Amino acid sequence: METISKAKIGRADALRLILEALETLGDEALKRSRLEQIQLLRRVMQKGIAAVQDEEATVTLEEAAWASVEERRGLRPTTKRDLRHFVRRILRVEGAAEMPLRGMTAKDCRRILATAFGASASSYTKGRAILSSVFSFGIRQEWCANNPVSRITPPKIEEKPIEPLCMEEIERLLRTAQKPRHRCMDFSLRLMLYCGIRPMEVKRLKDNDIHREEKIVIIRPGKSKTGGGRAVTLRGLSGLTQQDCHIPRNWDRRWRALRQDAGFTRWTSDVCRHTFASYHAAQFRNLPELQLEMGHRDSSLLRSRYMMPVSRKEATLFWAVSMGAQRTRKGNSQKAGKL
């Protein structure tokens, strides 16, 4: 009785709603008996109540996005920083932050992605993946029932092959690394050039990852770009001492200074890794081994993006230059000791 007294709907209103419901259900509902109509209306009300409760049991896109970021506690600091950057770009789109997660459509998500990342296909693809992960998290929290981003086709990204460094550029880098102020970066440079290890992976290496006697470097899963570990052969690095096999502090600043002193005003990311792949393929002609050391699941990416044609003569010179530079450094050290 108390509920009835609080209701603002009169008998006439209730009767009108019942008739509208039956008319909406169609002629088959109107032909049923009185008892069957009551049972049908009860089912409609129960399902309708559940649907309304579900709609109201949601959060805004902003709340869901930051909650999904916080859930990923195991991410590396740099990865989490990039994730936060992309989330901020999504939420800066007008009206996006306040949208209820459950009510968002594929059209809403397309508008957000186009506004935030429309200028770059690669950024759009990454932003799409992050927005999709927010909805996947929301589904697990029962804040929404589906992922509208799954209905958005990612743009096709045309990967452009990266030209490997030529021998003149390689020799400039190696000569610069022999100078006293850059000598601590000589080993790092060789890990990138002659082992194909990514700059960020080199920066994260610890002394116990470097096995000079076995001539391998261990890239541990937590320190690799893809999250998979691998063992890479130390090639062309004969003559190294224990002191040489060390990653210095302030690595980013030192690496940037070495490139600048070597005369590079522009630098392509991961070009040393691409150089390694091209010269390794030309010299050793062993794609399965190269694939393992690069940490790729198959050789398709090697063929399409990493392996640029270089002559066997250039490849032989590439590996010979490394050996020669090591001998030069060893000779300089011996001369300095005699003085």
Side-chain angles (χ1 to χ4, degrees), residues 183-184 187 207 212 240-247 329:
R183 194 163 292 168
C184 62
F187 179 56
D207 289 347
R212 184 168 59 94
L240 282 176
T241 65
Q242 188 69 41
Q243 187 178 1
D244 293 326
C245 301
H246 179 69
I247 307 301
R329 176 172 179 174

Side-chain angles (χ1 to χ4, degrees), residues 58-72 83-84 86-88 90-91 96-97 99-102 104 109 112-113 126-150:
T58 189
V59 295
T60 64
L61 176 61
E62 182 174 28
E63 291 173 293
W66 290 125
S68 71
V69 170
E70 290 306 313
E71 186 195 37
R72 306 182 196 186
L83 176 60
R84 287 178 176 276
F86 271 79
V87 167
R88 288 190 189 97
I90 289 170
L91 297 178
M99 285 185 172
L101 199 69
R102 191 180 294 276
M104 290 182 66
C109 295
I112 291 169
L113 292 172
K126 187 171 182 179
R128 177 188 174 279
I130 290 171
L131 186 57
S132 179
S133 71
V134 172
F135 280 97
S136 296
F137 175 76
I139 290 170
R140 294 196 299 274
Q141 303 300 314
E142 298 184 351
W143 293 336
C144 59
N146 60 79
N147 186 344
V149 182
S150 64

Side-chain angles (χ1 to χ4, degrees), residues 260-327:
Q260 290 173 348
D261 283 5
F264 289 89
T265 55
R266 298 182 64 184
W267 186 260
T268 302
S269 177
D270 278 346
V271 69
C272 288
R273 180 170 164 85
H274 288 258
T275 300
F276 164 77
S278 295
Y279 286 106
H280 185 291
Q283 179 73 2
F284 302 108
R285 301 182 183 274
N286 189 339
L287 286 189
E289 179 183 73
L290 179 57
Q291 175 192 324
L292 282 173
E293 296 201 359
M294 294 283 283
H296 292 167
R297 293 183 180 178
D298 54 54
S299 62
S300 59
L301 188 59
L302 280 175
R303 295 176 184 276
S304 64
R305 193 157 188 259
Y306 278 89
M307 288 168 44
M308 295 295 287
V310 295
S311 69
R312 191 70 178 271
K313 182 179 179 180
E314 289 177 311
T316 301
L317 181 58
F318 172 78
W319 296 103
V321 163
S322 172
M323 297 295 292
Q326 280 293 342
R327 287 194 292 270

